[in-house]
Structure formats: structure tokens, C-alpha cells
Amino acid sequence: MTDRDQEISAVLHRLAEREEIPDFVMPTAASAPKPRRGKRHWYRWSSLSIATAGAVLFAAGVGTYVSPDFAAQVRSWTGQTAQGANSHKENPSSNAQSSKETIQALFGMGNVDRGIERAMRGYAQKINASVTDQGITLEVIAILADPTRVFVSYQIKKEDGSLLDPKLIRKTLDKVIALTDDTNQRLTNGHGGGWDEKNMIGYLQFSVEEEQGPVPERMKLLIDVNKMGEVEGNWKLEVPFSVKEAMAATRISQVEKEYTTPQGLQIALRTVTEAPSATVLRLETKWDEAAKKRLAQYSRDMTGKTQNHDYAPFVPYQQYQLEYRILDKDGRDVAAYQQKDKFLEQGVLKEGRVSRDQYGHFIWNTAYVPFEGSGPFTFVLDAVHVAEPAALTIDFHPEKLSAEPKRVEYEGNGITVKSLQKQQGQTSQSTALELEMAFRDISAIEHVWWEITDQSGKSYPINGAAFDSVGEDSQGRKIVRMTLNVEEMEQIPQQLTLSLSAVTKRYADVQWSVDLPLK
Amino acid sequence: MKEGKEVELSIASRKIDSASFEQLVRPHLAMAYRTACLIIRDRQLAQDAVQEALVEVYQSLERFDPERGRSFRAWFAKIVTHRALNAVRRFKPVDEYQEWPDESTNPLDSIIEREEQQQIWKAICGMKVKHRTVVILFYYGDFSVAEIAEMLGVFEGTVKSRLHHARKLIGTELRKHDDTPHLSKVGVSTND
């Protein structure tokens, strides 16, 4: 190992070993269903599969939209008490200032997301609570709090007023950084944060989840740090602050619009929450009874077709995804969850999905940066993606593939077996099966659903797949090249059978749009 | 109670009981949970992933074949890794990198060194999950290239190329940090 290798290893061990091991419930014969016996399938798992639902990229929108309700002002010292453990002092600002410079000083404009930038103009509370020990001062400059999140800026200073690296606060495990209610009950499980090295400002961010109970009007930020870099000391701050005005400016609109797709997926848009720093859409999805009967059959068809016996029974119920956009009055996308070559998110800050049961009943709380552009805004459902059983079988002779690739059509989707070639590793041998597929309505194939057997019935493990999307054919079908990694094939058999048990299909036969009651 | 090797052998003969199962997996739980934490960067999801993996392992012991030369540790890690990758796919990837602890008591462990280590972690967190997973399994799990290839269902050459790419990304991040100490940078951290 090189020095760099050792360093990488040390970093990972150091990070990992700080994690306390939680209690795990050991499965027992009574608690865990017995594995199914019978035909042994050799499908295996891999992270490599075609755009799996939920594999997303984040693309933030740009620009600023400021509602007249969010009048530009920065509150001055709010009169709340901050308690420091040592030479704590309070430094109330004399007057409220609404200049951009002041806002920048509080939060460092340009370094925070657009939701924070927008909300800070009306809801930033200048705090200036500080505590000094060992010649080092920790100062909480400002807090921006609304019912969706709490954002804090702080600085660390030396006695001469020069600023220290804000990351110093984070460099000790033995500390408390928490958000609580008035009774010191923690409101979040943890925090995020960041820093701006140019302005030497540090940030803390807490996500407030509706699932953890109603958001209190008053909260407290607790910071208790006993080390700043190499300097030991005691920096303790307790900063109460109010969320009342941001709560008053937060509008929760009941939407309660429902739609059932032709596939039987019931979608309800429950509420839209407009908070100063984020807009949250709450959706509920579940299958109707007719769909559940169909899915129960799918489940029976698909169960046992992978090595993971626990995988299939609930896959048909749970493996679905909505494809949608949110449009402004001019029909422009202000937020989206769409499938191009892969699923892409636009404007999403956070996606929270809570499972209500094993049968695909979910609550989705998706937080977006406040929508830019002009309303009214409209939620438009474009498609749903669902997992379904497939029944495709392709017989081919490997040695003939180079001269004549094997082509088949399956329900409007084209599949070509192009080659089968051995790959040599240091300690293992694998065989690469090259496929090219033209997808009409298939949006994904998990490699675990493929099986390959030879003329004697021997099944070979397929231990992963790689794929590449390479455009469209003349019929507008998406071309995907996939390589299946086949194991234990010491000799290339004369004849092989490739079969496919399930696919994820995209259904665009949906017709649902909802005008969002946004200001 | 049976010894570890004996337990592994009893798996082969499908005679394991619940107590033996716990004895079998307990030594590997810390590695499993911490590997899941590093891949997912979310403690709750990591706990869920390992709990699901335990059930899967229990249900699937008949598939573990020590005769194939695979250790139980590697087989368990494979299942945990796939559960962790499923969790990453199901949930939005965390764009932030994890809070950097400073529990060092070694005065020689200078701030500069720790800054460098922080950049390494930042680079690892910034990688695609397929690269990050290989790095974690190789450098934290101490699994061989062949074992990782088997776990992830990719060719050994793919594992090597991902490791090479990951090292390059880390090198780039470190050089960026060295070359531009005065430029404004915005970092992020989380322990959510």
C-alpha cells in the first residue's frame, strides 16, 4: 500500500469506527419465513441496473422569486435570551437593516440554496449570541427558521477579532449541536451544515419533519463544544428563537385531489405547504383493490425468480415511480421528476418517502425550492413506471452470434443477443453476454430477472450487468446496450437459452393535472 | 457453543440453530453496519439495511457454500452491500459529506493532516456510488479485488478501474485544496 492508500484506509476506519453499533434483532425460525426450496435460480444482485426508480440526480433551478408576502426585511435582535456558559455576552443590533450587504453578512449570499436566499430577506433573525473561553469566541450570528427547516450562521473569532476556521466547531465528537423545543425535547435527529471560507461563516441546518410531530412556535438551538481544534475549553450556548412569524407566513393548503391511473395506482395530492424557504408537496399513493389482485398474481409469478426470496413478493407492489412536472403559467417546468436516460430531479431539495405497508402504500413529502416563475402552478402527471412479470425466452448458438446476432421482438421491444465472450480476471473467470435492446415501453430491467441455461438445463449465475443508453432507433425506441456478467461457464456451451422474468414498464396513458393553490 | 469454523461448516450441512446463527454473524455486525453507514451515509437507513440483510442471510443460509472458497464474512458483506445500494437507489443521494470527527488524542495528528483526511472523505463522498462502494469495500472492508468483483457482480478489471478512478478523484481533490487555499469554497457537512 502506498502512503495515499494507507491514508484513505485510515480515513475510512476513523470515520466508521466512531459509529456505535445499534441493537439488531436476530431472526429466528419463528420470525423469518423459511426459504423456498425447489428450483434453484442463480440470479444475483448488483448496483448496475438500468435506471432504477429512485436513482436520481439533482438539478437546481436558478433565479429568484419573491412573494410580496415575504417582504424584504431583516429582523433585528429579537429580544430572546441567549445563555453562554462562560463570558457570554449579548450584542443586540441597534437597528434592523435590510440591505443586501447586511443579509450577506448574516448568511453569505450566493453560498446557500435559493430557498434560504429567498427566505432570509424576511425571516432571518439576527442573533449575535456569543460565548468566549480560552480567548476564542463562538458567535451565533443569525437564524432562519420556518416549519420546514432551521438554518443557522455562526463565526469563530480570536481575541483580536480575526476569524478562525468555522469548521473548528465540527472537529470534535464530544459536543452537542441540537434543536429542541422549550422542554428540551430534541426536534431533529441530526443536522447538516457547511461553511463559507471566504467570509469565514459556518452554517448549521436542521430539517424539521412533520412526521416527528407538530412544529413548535418556539425552539432552542443548543451548542455545547469542549474543543476548538487543539484548544480545550467550554463553549456552551442556548439560543431560544421564535418560528411564530414564519409559521404565520406558512400556508398549508388542502388539495385533496385524487386520481387512479389505468394501472390502478391511486394517487392523492393531499397538501401543499408554502413555507418561506421551501414548498412541500404531500402525496399519498396506493394500489386499488383490483390492482392488488393483479399484483398478487404478479407476485406469485415473480417470486422465486431471484436468489433473494424476500425480494419478489413485494416488488410488484412497491417498485413504482411517478413521472411528473410542475409547470408555471407559461407551461415552463419549475420542478420535475422525469425520465430521460435516467431519472432526473429538478428543483427538489429533499424527497421523503414513508411506507405505510408492504403493499406499496406510501406518503411522499417532497420539498422543493420555492417555485420561480409566475403562477398559477400546475402539477402534471406524465407517466407511471411499474414492475411487471415478463415471459421472454431466446434460444441461441453462441458460436453463430458473430456472423448473425440473434434478434427477437417482445411486445414491441427489440432484443438482440450480440456476443458471448470469456473475460479473464486474476482469480476468477467470467463471461460477458452482450445485448442490445430497443425499448418501446420498458424503462428498466433489473439484471436479477435474467436467467441463462445451457442445453442440459444447467443454469449459470448472472452476477451483474452494465448498461449504456445510446440513443433511439428509427421507430423512436430507446436503444440500450447491456452486458450481463455470467459466471461458472468454463466452456462456451453449444446452445443457450436466455430468459427474462420481469421488467419495469413506463405507462404514459395517464391524464391528471392539478392546479396548485399557491400564491 | 460452536466455534466459528464449526458454525460455518454446520451451515453447509444446514444444521444451524438460532444461537449458532447469532454466534456466526455477531463478529461481523460492526463491519457490516459501518460499511452500510459509509455507503449510505445515513444511520437509520444503514441499520435498516443490515437488519434486512440479517433476515436475508438467515433465510438464505442454504445458498452459502464454504466449499466455493468464499468466507462467510464476504458473503454477509455482499448481502449488506446490496441492501445498502438498494437504499441509496431508493432514497435521494446525499450531496453533503459527513461531519468530520476529531476524536484524535495524538498531538502529532496535526490539523493539516486532518484537513487532508477531510478532503479525502469529501472526495469519497463526491464520487458516484459505484466508485465509493469499491473504495469502501477495498480500504475499509479489506476485501480483495476478486472478492469485491464477486460481491458487486462485475469483472475484476472493472473493480480495478473503479479503484484507479477513485484514487485519481482523491488526488484531484487534494491538489485542489493545496493549490487554492485562499479561494472561497463552500463545504457542507451532515450527521443527519
Side-chain angles (χ1 to χ4, degrees):
Chain A
M1 268 195 169
T2 64
D3 287 349
R4 174 64 52 77
D5 289 332
Q6 287 178 3
E7 200 167 21
I8 297 169
S9 179
V11 165
L12 291 173
H13 277 86
R14 188 173 176 187
L15 270 168
E17 280 156 21
R18 71 177 182 152
E19 297 293 342
E20 295 291 325
I21 310 305
D23 289 332
F24 291 101
V25 179
M26 287 297 151
T28 64
S31 67
K34 293 204 177 297
R36 288 162 217 281
R37 295 177 188 279
K39 186 179 178 186
R40 188 176 183 187
H41 292 270
W42 285 101
Y43 292 111
R44 295 191 181 182
W45 294 95
S46 162
S47 63
L48 298 171
S49 60
I50 294 179
T52 305
V56 293
L57 290 177
F58 172 65
V62 292
T64 305
Y65 165 72
V66 181
S67 160
D69 285 350
F70 302 151
Q73 63 166 323
V74 177
R75 282 173 182 72
S76 63
W77 173 247
T78 56
Q80 296 145 0
T81 308
Q83 298 164 356
N86 296 316
S87 58
H88 164 248
K89 63 180 181 180
E90 297 169 4
N91 180 25
S93 171
S94 55
N95 293 302
Q97 297 178 60
S98 58
S99 70
K100 184 176 178 182
E101 289 72 23
T102 304
I103 295 169
Q104 185 160 3
L106 294 178
F107 287 104
M109 288 283 277
N111 294 325
V112 293
D113 69 62
R114 195 159 45 80
I116 294 292
E117 280 193 6
R118 178 189 174 201
M120 69 170 64
R121 293 197 178 92
Y123 298 94
Q125 302 177 41
K126 194 171 180 182
I127 298 295
N128 290 98
S130 64
V131 56
T132 301
D133 193 17
Q134 308 296 316
I136 296 175
T137 298
L138 169 64
E139 179 180 7
V140 173
I141 305 168
I143 293 177
L144 190 157
D146 74 20
T148 63
R149 52 179 166 164
V150 173
F151 195 78
V152 178
S153 66
Y154 67 90
Q155 284 184 318
I156 303 171
K157 298 174 181 172
K158 290 200 287 190
E159 280 176 308
D160 61 6
S162 60
L163 294 169
L164 290 169
D165 183 351
K167 296 192 292 296
L168 286 177
I169 195 177
R170 304 165 47 250
K171 290 186 172 181
T172 175
L173 262 188
D174 188 16
K175 64 174 183 288
V176 174
I177 296 177
L179 193 67
T180 73
D181 62 14
D182 272 346
T183 62
N184 292 332
Q185 289 293 312
R186 291 199 181 204
L187 298 170
T188 61
N189 291 324
H191 67 276
W195 61 89
D196 171 1
E197 281 188 357
K198 182 180 175 187
N199 297 306
M200 298 292 261
I201 297 176
Y203 305 116
L204 302 169
Q205 180 168 266
F206 302 85
S207 294
V208 184
E209 299 283 352
E210 188 180 329
E211 265 61 29
Q212 293 177 350
V215 179
E217 285 187 352
R218 292 185 60 79
M219 300 182 186
K220 278 194 290 190
L221 170 69
L222 300 181
I223 300 180
D224 189 355
V225 181
N226 58 15
K227 206 173 176 188
M228 294 276 192
E230 298 300 313
V231 181
E232 294 189 354
N234 188 1
W235 295 268
K236 186 174 181 183
L237 277 172
E238 187 174 313
V239 186
F241 58 94
S242 172
V243 195
K244 191 172 180 180
E245 290 186 45
M247 287 177 83
T250 297
R251 209 163 61 105
I252 302 176
S253 303
Q254 301 295 320
V255 183
E256 298 300 343
K257 298 285 187 187
E258 298 187 3
Y259 171 71
T260 302
T261 72
Q263 296 72 38
L265 183 63
Q266 297 175 322
I267 308 169
L269 181 48
R270 297 290 182 209
T271 60
V272 180
T273 301
E274 279 181 282
S277 74
T279 299
V280 180
L281 263 59
R282 183 180 178 87
L283 286 109
E284 184 171 3
T285 55
K286 59 185 177 182
W287 295 101
D288 67 17
E289 291 308 312
K292 280 185 180 172
K293 286 180 185 166
R294 185 183 72 246
L295 294 167
Q297 183 58 48
Y298 285 1
S299 176
R300 286 190 288 275
D301 292 345
M302 292 157 74
T303 298
K305 299 290 177 64
T306 75
Q307 283 193 3
N308 184 338
H309 301 294
D310 190 37
Y311 180 69
F314 300 106
V315 166
Y317 300 98
Q318 296 177 356
Q319 191 170 311
Y320 63 81
Q321 187 67 47
L322 308 183
E323 192 180 319
Y324 65 86
R325 290 167 294 145
I326 294 167
L327 310 178
D328 67 10
K329 71 170 184 176
D330 299 318
R332 289 178 300 210
D333 295 359
V334 293
Y337 191 88
Q338 287 180 291
Q339 190 193 26
K340 304 286 185 191
D341 291 336
K342 58 187 96 179
F343 280 98
L344 292 172
E345 281 182 357
Q346 177 190 342
V348 177
L349 286 171
K350 183 178 181 181
E351 183 182 73
R353 189 177 75 162
V354 180
S355 178
R356 290 289 192 230
D357 64 22
Q358 291 179 302
Y359 298 95
H361 185 181
F362 295 113
I363 305 292
W364 309 72
N365 288 305
T366 307
Y368 304 86
V369 291
F371 303 140
E372 58 183 306
S374 301
F377 297 96
T378 308
F379 175 96
V380 178
L381 181 67
D382 289 322
V384 292
H385 298 250
V386 297
E388 294 183 357
L392 169 67
T393 300
I394 307 172
D395 296 320
F396 63 96
H397 295 84
E399 77 279 8
K400 295 180 181 174
L401 291 175
S402 57
E404 187 180 0
K406 180 81 175 188
R407 292 188 175 84
V408 297
E409 286 287 319
Y410 175 72
E411 297 182 349
N413 302 282
I415 295 165
T416 304
V417 183
K418 296 182 75 175
S419 69
L420 184 71
Q421 292 183 324
K422 296 193 79 64
Q423 308 283 318
Q424 193 65 47
Q426 274 189 344
T427 58
S428 66
Q429 277 197 339
S430 294
T431 306
L433 180 63
E434 303 281 348
L435 306 173
E436 184 169 293
M437 291 167 285
F439 288 156
R440 180 181 61 84
D441 58 357
I442 293 174
S443 58
I445 298 178
E446 297 278 356
H447 79 272
V448 296
W449 301 110
W450 293 105
E451 182 175 27
I452 189 162
T453 54
D454 66 15
Q455 64 273 17
S456 69
K458 175 178 168 53
S459 178
Y460 298 92
I462 295 178
N463 195 9
F467 70 90
D468 194 12
S469 184
V470 294
E472 292 185 349
D473 69 4
S474 57
Q475 301 173 51
R477 301 184 299 185
K478 189 169 72 174
I479 305 294
V480 173
R481 291 188 184 135
M482 179 180 275
T483 303
L484 300 180
N485 181 8
V486 183
E487 283 193 340
E488 300 179 6
M489 192 176 278
E490 292 174 7
Q491 302 290 329
I492 300 286
Q494 284 189 331
Q495 186 176 344
L496 287 165
T497 299
L498 180 68
S499 54
L500 177 64
S501 303
V503 297
T504 300
K505 282 190 176 178
R506 178 180 188 272
Y507 287 98
D509 56 344
V510 294
Q511 284 188 324
W512 192 45
S513 63
V514 179
D515 291 335
L516 300 177
L518 294 170
K519 283 188 177 176
Chain B
M1 294 285 274
K2 301 181 182 98
E3 294 301 317
K5 190 63 185 172
E6 194 182 344
V7 173
E8 291 203 13
L9 289 174
S10 70
I11 293 170
S13 57
R14 317 299 172 220
K15 290 176 183 169
I16 193 166
D17 55 27
S18 295
S20 298
F21 177 77
E22 181 164 359
Q23 186 193 1
L24 175 67
V25 298
R26 185 66 69 189
H28 309 297
L29 270 180
M31 175 277 298
Y33 174 68
R34 287 166 172 160
T35 299
C37 275
L38 291 171
I39 292 173
I40 308 173
R41 290 175 289 157
D42 181 294
R43 293 187 179 102
Q44 187 57 53
L45 292 178
Q47 188 175 349
D48 290 348
V50 174
Q51 186 63 63
E52 289 171 6
L54 282 171
V55 173
E56 183 180 344
V57 166
Y58 188 81
Q59 291 176 341
S60 313
L61 281 172
E62 66 176 16
R63 296 205 312 267
F64 173 64
D65 186 359
E67 302 288 315
R68 291 181 66 195
R70 183 161 54 174
S71 70
F72 179 79
R73 179 176 182 272
W75 186 63
F76 184 32
K78 173 182 176 173
I79 292 171
V80 168
T81 299
H82 285 296
R83 290 288 181 171
L85 291 171
N86 286 343
V88 171
R89 286 206 298 259
R90 282 201 303 267
F91 294 89
K92 184 184 172 190
V94 179
D95 290 321
E96 303 166 321
Y97 65 90
Q98 202 159 17
E99 183 174 358
W100 181 251
D102 180 11
E103 71 279 28
S104 171
T105 53
N106 181 358
L108 296 177
D109 187 8
S110 72
I111 286 178
I112 292 172
E113 284 172 332
R114 272 173 278 141
E115 283 292 318
E116 186 164 299
Q117 291 183 348
Q118 192 168 343
Q119 296 306 316
I120 290 173
W121 178 232
K122 181 180 176 184
I124 291 170
C125 290
M127 292 172 189
K128 290 180 179 172
V129 69
K130 65 182 181 183
H131 294 113
R132 187 167 80 239
T133 303
V134 167
V135 167
I136 290 164
L137 292 172
F138 186 77
Y139 288 108
Y140 173 67
D142 293 326
F143 292 107
S144 68
V145 167
E147 284 176 315
I148 296 169
E150 202 281 331
M151 282 182 200
L152 299 179
V154 298
F155 300 111
E156 288 179 34
T158 305
V159 174
K160 287 178 188 168
S161 119
R162 288 181 188 176
L163 276 174
H164 177 71
H165 183 66
R167 288 190 191 105
K168 262 178 70 175
L169 290 174
I170 290 169
T172 303
E173 183 64 36
L174 289 174
R175 278 193 298 279
K176 194 166 67 179
H177 189 65
D178 289 344
D179 294 345
T180 58
H182 303 299
L183 288 182
S184 171
K185 287 194 293 185
V186 178
V188 282
S189 69
T190 183
N191 66 0
D192 276 326

